[in-house]
Structures are given as C-alpha cells and as structure tokens.
Amino acid sequence: MIKAIAIDDEPYALEVVKMLSEKVPFVSLEATFTNCFDAIPYIQEHKIDLIFLDINMPDISGIEFVNTLPKCPMVIFTTAYSEYAVKGFELDAIDYLLKPFSLARFTKACNKAFDIKKNFSTQKEPDFIFLKTGYEEEKVRLDEIYYVEAEGNYMTYWLGNNKKLLARQTISEVLEMLPTDQFSRIHRSFVVANSKIEKFSRNSVWILENEIPVGNTYEPVLKNLRRIFKID
C-alpha cells in the first residue's frame, strides 16, 4: 500500500486526485492540503510514501518546496503548465501529470511509484528494532509490538504478555522505525500494529482488550484498514 498526500492550491484539483485515488486499490490518500506550509507538520509527523504536488502555487512553488525537504518522499507533479516538465524530472520526480489528466494516466503514474516502492521493499529489512531504555538498548522484535502510545516526551511500547517498554522518543521517530505496511498511526498519540487489531468500531479499535481511539484526521487510515481486512 502506498500512503500519499496531495498538495494543490485549487480545491477542485484536490477533489480530482482524491476521486482518482479511490479507484486505485494500492493507493491510500491520507490527507490533502491547499498550501505547502500546512503540509509540513503532517510530513514531519507521518511516514508517507508519495506526494501528489502541484507546481504553480502562491508563496512557494512545488519545485521550491521539494528542495526544502531534507528527506523527500516520492513525488508526482500535477500541473497545468507543460514548461515545468524538465525541471520536475531533474528533481527525480516519479512522473509528471499534465492537467486535466485521465484515470488511465493517473494509474500509470501510480504504478511507477508502486514498482519503485516494491523494488525497494524487496531488500531484506530487519524484523526487529533497538529501543533505548535508560542507559541500555533493548532489542524488540516487530511482531512483539502491539501498539505504541505517546506519553509526554516518551513513547510506551505495549508488547505481549503484559510487558511494556518506555523509550524517550517522538512519535515521528517511532514512525521512522516501524514499517508502514505493518503499522498505522490512527491518532496523534497512537501507532498500532495492523495485525494485532482485535475489533473495529466506527471511532475506535481494540488491541489487548484496550479501546484505542481513532482521531478525526485519521479516519481515512481507519477506512483503509477496514478495506485491507475486507470489512464493509
């Protein structure tokens, strides 16, 4: 699954990207923004794979915005101006969609992003992480983690057998460590292991018999999880 956001100063253009994304089964559009500056905190706090990014925007262009990001996700530029194409590809953009674009053209661009992510993910990734607990670094297997909860300047890792570990981290650091295909952020204070979810409701999930709230801005994430588990 590709987790994406869209940035465009035209609300109608964002609606088009949202509508087309819903038709591509491996793309989950997590959030939309009408300017780049509103998107920055979201990018800092969430692990995303792809940005659908307009180029010609007030205050800062999409190209300038990409250059400000220290660690940029994959980018698909969306614009009505063909003269930006060369510059876009110089920034290693995945693709360049000239408005108005069709579902077929949109899907082709998404397929490119999917192939890149798939090729990257075929590299053997560790099935564990190390957590700094006090003066020690403790090895924790990914399949031991049920969910992670933010508590002030610390993160509590809830593990099996009623065990928990406290690590001094931010939630953005947690998202950097955990693979996006196994873990999802569903609240500003909670990251959950997808496979450990025991029960769904409209605004909550249950893990280890604990009810975990789903924040309003994370409703698309919950919708995508329900789709993964084939829940109507």
Side-chain angles (χ1 to χ4, degrees), residues 145-159:
I145 302 170
Y146 281 70
Y147 65 93
V148 188
E149 180 179 5
E151 298 185 61
N153 294 324
Y154 292 86
M155 304 299 299
T156 299
Y157 285 75
W158 291 88
L159 312 177

Side-chain angles (χ1 to χ4, degrees), residues 6 10 14-15 24 44 54 72 91 98 105 125 129 133 136 145 158 160 170 175 182 185 196-197 207-208 217 225-226:
E10 298 178 3
L14 291 175
E15 285 299 316
V24 181
Q44 291 173 337
D54 186 24
C72 188
L91 293 173
L98 188 62
R105 184 66 183 86
E125 294 289 337
I129 59 175
T133 57
E136 299 177 340
I145 302 170
W158 291 88
T170 64
L175 293 168
Q182 299 179 44
R185 187 178 187 182
K196 306 297 186 184
I197 296 174
I207 298 178
L208 294 175
T217 59
L225 285 170
R226 294 175 69 92

Side-chain angles (χ1 to χ4, degrees), residues 168-187:
R168 187 176 178 84
Q169 289 179 309
T170 64
I171 200 161
S172 60
E173 290 171 332
V174 172
L175 293 168
E176 284 293 326
M177 298 178 71
L178 300 178
T180 58
D181 61 335
Q182 299 179 44
F183 294 86
S184 298
R185 187 178 187 182
I186 60 168
H187 187 276

Side-chain angles (χ1 to χ4, degrees), residues 24-51:
V24 181
F26 55 84
V27 173
S28 173
L29 189 64
E30 307 284 304
T32 61
F33 303 92
T34 54
N35 71 77
C36 294
F37 298 105
D38 286 346
I40 291 174
Y42 190 93
I43 294 171
Q44 291 173 337
E45 294 184 7
H46 300 76
K47 193 167 184 178
I48 61 171
D49 305 306
L50 174 66
I51 305 176

Side-chain angles (χ1 to χ4, degrees), residues 135-149:
Y135 295 103
E136 299 177 340
E137 301 264 353
E138 185 163 348
K139 182 179 180 180
V140 178
R141 290 181 57 85
L142 294 177
D143 59 10
E144 292 182 274
I145 302 170
Y146 281 70
Y147 65 93
V148 188
E149 180 179 5

Side-chain angles (χ1 to χ4, degrees), residues 83-232:
E83 60 265 28
Y84 291 117
V86 173
K87 187 64 176 177
F89 284 118
E90 286 177 355
L91 293 173
D92 295 325
I94 301 301
D95 209 338
Y96 182 97
L97 296 177
L98 188 62
K99 300 175 183 176
F101 41 85
S102 66
L103 174 59
R105 184 66 183 86
F106 181 84
T107 303
K108 181 179 180 179
C110 292
N111 278 325
K112 290 182 181 180
F114 181 82
D115 287 342
I116 290 173
K117 184 182 179 184
K118 182 180 179 181
N119 291 336
F120 181 78
S121 64
T122 55
Q123 301 174 17
K124 181 73 173 173
E125 294 289 337
D127 60 358
F128 59 86
I129 59 175
F130 277 94
L131 294 178
K132 187 173 180 60
T133 57
Y135 295 103
E136 299 177 340
E137 301 264 353
E138 185 163 348
K139 182 179 180 180
V140 178
R141 290 181 57 85
L142 294 177
D143 59 10
E144 292 182 274
I145 302 170
Y146 281 70
Y147 65 93
V148 188
E149 180 179 5
E151 298 185 61
N153 294 324
Y154 292 86
M155 304 299 299
T156 299
Y157 285 75
W158 291 88
L159 312 177
N161 300 319
N162 293 318
K163 181 181 178 182
K164 62 181 181 179
L165 291 176
L166 194 66
R168 187 176 178 84
Q169 289 179 309
T170 64
I171 200 161
S172 60
E173 290 171 332
V174 172
L175 293 168
E176 284 293 326
M177 298 178 71
L178 300 178
T180 58
D181 61 335
Q182 299 179 44
F183 294 86
S184 298
R185 187 178 187 182
I186 60 168
H187 187 276
R188 64 190 182 95
S189 299
F190 290 96
V191 176
V192 302
N194 300 343
S195 64
K196 306 297 186 184
I197 296 174
E198 300 160 357
K199 184 169 61 173
F200 286 88
S201 73
R202 196 176 76 170
N203 299 310
S204 306
V205 299
W206 273 259
I207 298 178
L208 294 175
E209 299 185 351
N210 296 325
E211 183 178 5
I212 302 173
V214 176
N216 291 336
T217 59
Y218 299 92
E219 288 180 0
V221 180
L222 180 63
K223 181 179 178 181
N224 182 55
L225 285 170
R226 294 175 69 92
R227 182 172 63 176
I228 290 173
F229 292 114
K230 295 181 171 56
I231 300 173
D232 294 332

